[in-house]
Amino acid sequence: MRLLFGENLNLPDADIIYYPNFFNQEEANTHFNTLLSTIPWQQDKIKVFGKVYDQPRLTAFYGDNKAPYSYSNITMYPNAFTGAMLQIKKIIEEELHLKFTSCLANLYREGKDSNGWHADNEKALGKHPTIASITFGEERPFHLKHKTHKTLKKKLLLEHGSLLVMQGATQENWLHQIPKTKKEIKPRINLTFRIIDQ
């Protein structure tokens, strides 16, 4: 156990905790370099309003079972967890007292790479999923907005080595995004650990 104290965002209809220094600088640097060079990154096609586009980031999917993961008309089949990812996964599981089965990895290569407004509410994740999101590399703004109360919004800067945990009714009531930016920025790797039943 790391005995870290997280910041509860205290948003209505949500349960979100942010750990800004979950991994220290040296750990985060090592993990970033390892993941960047060893993950088999791919760029999938997504369909938006009937048109097909390149997904504006690279992804890879990992799991300890054979359960696929589908979102935005994409179905991904899991790679086996590598030693480096298992090490990260174990540390998170010990802190949160949970057992994650899967991880969707995202590589944001530059500011133009993004992830639009969405909720991680796919049926395979269950009604109230826990998503543990790790950031390695360039910090990026993370935006939240309530699905029905349009004035409820939150912005958070996801830092190198940080952990963001979304659980409870968060996905049922809130949307989130990583917006594009015109700033010249370095790559960011995002590991989103989740529980998918086989």
Side-chain angles (χ1 to χ4, degrees):
M1 292 292 292
R2 302 200 161 207
L3 300 177
L4 300 176
F5 293 97
E7 171 195 352
N8 193 315
L9 300 192
N10 293 316
L11 296 175
D13 306 323
D15 184 354
I16 306 175
I17 302 174
Y18 179 60
Y19 301 80
N21 299 298
F22 189 78
F23 291 96
N24 65 38
Q25 184 83 13
E26 183 179 353
E27 291 174 322
N29 289 344
T30 298
H31 288 313
F32 174 83
N33 291 327
T34 300
L35 297 170
L36 184 64
S37 62
T38 59
I39 287 178
W41 300 105
Q42 65 188 56
Q43 185 169 37
D44 291 305
K45 302 284 186 180
I46 56 173
K47 182 179 287 188
V48 181
F49 300 118
K51 293 187 176 181
V52 177
Y53 302 91
D54 287 332
Q55 193 173 31
R57 62 190 179 281
L58 305 185
T59 60
F61 184 58
Y62 289 83
D64 59 14
N65 58 36
K66 295 182 180 180
Y69 181 57
S70 298
Y71 68 98
S72 300
N73 296 313
I74 298 170
T75 298
M76 304 187 75
Y77 294 90
N79 299 296
F81 280 112
T82 63
M85 294 194 75
L86 283 174
Q87 182 184 10
I88 296 167
K89 178 173 174 284
K90 181 180 178 182
I91 292 170
I92 298 171
E93 290 174 337
E94 288 178 349
E95 180 68 30
L96 302 182
H97 305 288
L98 287 172
K99 172 70 173 175
F100 293 102
T101 66
S102 310
C103 177
L104 178 62
N106 299 281
L107 173 58
Y108 298 84
R109 297 159 293 180
E110 58 182 5
K112 293 179 182 178
D113 278 357
S114 62
N115 198 346
W117 287 112
H118 71 284
D120 296 315
N121 58 359
E122 290 78 20
K123 187 177 180 180
L125 300 177
K127 183 173 176 58
H128 289 159
T130 296
I131 310 292
S133 175
I134 290 283
T135 291
F136 295 125
E138 186 73 47
E139 57 188 27
R140 293 288 294 263
F142 181 78
H143 295 179
L144 291 145
K145 67 178 180 180
H146 199 280
K147 289 183 179 180
T148 55
H149 301 289
K150 303 303 182 184
T151 59
L152 291 177
K153 299 178 182 179
K154 177 72 175 179
K155 292 182 181 180
L156 184 67
L157 193 63
L158 299 180
E159 302 162 282
H160 182 42
S162 66
L163 168 65
L164 181 74
V165 180
M166 298 181 287
Q167 54 195 352
T170 303
Q171 305 303 325
E172 186 178 357
N173 296 299
W174 288 78
L175 300 172
H176 56 274
Q177 71 164 352
I178 299 288
K180 297 179 186 295
T181 178
K182 293 182 178 180
K183 295 179 181 178
E184 288 190 12
I185 58 173
K186 296 178 181 178
R188 169 185 182 255
I189 291 174
N190 172 228
L191 303 180
T192 56
F193 290 92
R194 42 196 81 207
I195 301 169
I196 300 176
D197 293 330
Q198 189 168 7

